[in-house]
């Protein structure tokens, strides 16, 4: 693919895979590779960051006499995942509008992500 895989998009893909069922690192990397060229070693820091934010949690499971680390979605992870899905859909819509030559939405409207950030900031202030 010629399009870059941004960090939020990589997180969206990982969370999508884990949301479909508990998954281990190599399994996740193989699902993402066709669209990213992602090296296995680049995946693990992202898994660690998602774990540190408590969006996913890791556990070990025996497989053919060896421990394999699996990842599962957490409730905060589901919320973050849903926000990323909404943001991705809004992004796709805006790209499609540009490609089709349609006028975009009002610039003052912002993105879903910006709205979520503003809501979080407002709730932390009050």
């Amino acid at each position: 693919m010629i399009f870059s895989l941004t960090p939020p998009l990589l997180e969206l893909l990982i969370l999508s895979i884990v949301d479909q069922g508990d998954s281990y690192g190599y399994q996740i990397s193989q699902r993402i590779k066709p669209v990213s060229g992602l090296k296995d070693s680049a995946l693990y820091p992202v898994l660690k960051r998602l774990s540190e934010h408590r969006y996913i949690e890791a556990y070990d499971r025996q497989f053919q006499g060896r421990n394999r680390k699996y990842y599962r979605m957490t409730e905060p992870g589901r919320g973050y995942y849903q926000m990323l899905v909404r943001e991705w859909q809004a992004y796709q819509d805006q790209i499609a509008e540009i490609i089709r030559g349609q006028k975009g939405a009002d610039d003052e409207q912002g993105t879903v992500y910006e709205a979520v950030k503003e809501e979080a900031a407002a709730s932390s202030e009050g």
Side-chain angles (χ1 to χ4, degrees):
M1 294 264 154
I2 63 171
F3 298 103
S4 298
L5 189 62
T6 64
L9 185 52
L10 178 56
E11 289 179 354
L12 173 60
L13 294 176
I14 291 169
L15 292 172
S16 295
I17 293 166
V18 174
D19 190 53
Q20 295 166 25
D22 295 4
S23 305
Y24 56 95
Y26 183 75
Q27 182 182 31
I28 295 168
S29 73
Q30 294 308 297
R31 293 273 316 273
I32 294 173
K33 257 186 194 171
V35 296
S36 70
L38 181 73
K39 294 191 180 355
D40 295 341
S41 61
L43 173 68
Y44 292 97
V46 180
L47 289 170
K48 182 178 181 183
R49 184 173 65 246
L50 289 170
S51 292
E52 288 172 350
H53 285 95
R54 296 197 164 97
Y55 296 144
I56 59 175
E57 58 186 13
Y59 65 93
D60 289 335
R61 182 188 296 169
Q62 283 283 110
F63 179 78
Q64 297 180 349
R66 297 177 54 213
N67 272 347
R68 187 181 269 176
K69 186 182 279 191
Y70 281 80
Y71 299 90
R72 72 175 136 231
M73 186 79 78
T74 64
E75 282 307 309
R78 272 190 188 47
Y80 182 61
Y81 169 64
Q82 291 166 355
M83 184 276 299
L84 288 173
V85 168
R86 288 189 306 270
E87 183 66 18
W88 172 248
Q89 289 168 340
Y91 179 75
Q92 281 183 298
D93 291 345
Q94 291 175 357
I95 294 294
E97 287 174 2
I98 292 169
I99 291 171
R100 289 191 303 261
Q102 297 175 352
K103 291 186 178 182
D106 185 12
D107 288 340
E108 293 177 17
Q109 199 171 23
T111 65
V112 174
Y113 179 69
E114 291 166 344
V116 169
K117 282 186 0 187
E118 288 174 12
E119 287 175 22
S123 67
S124 67
E125 290 175 4

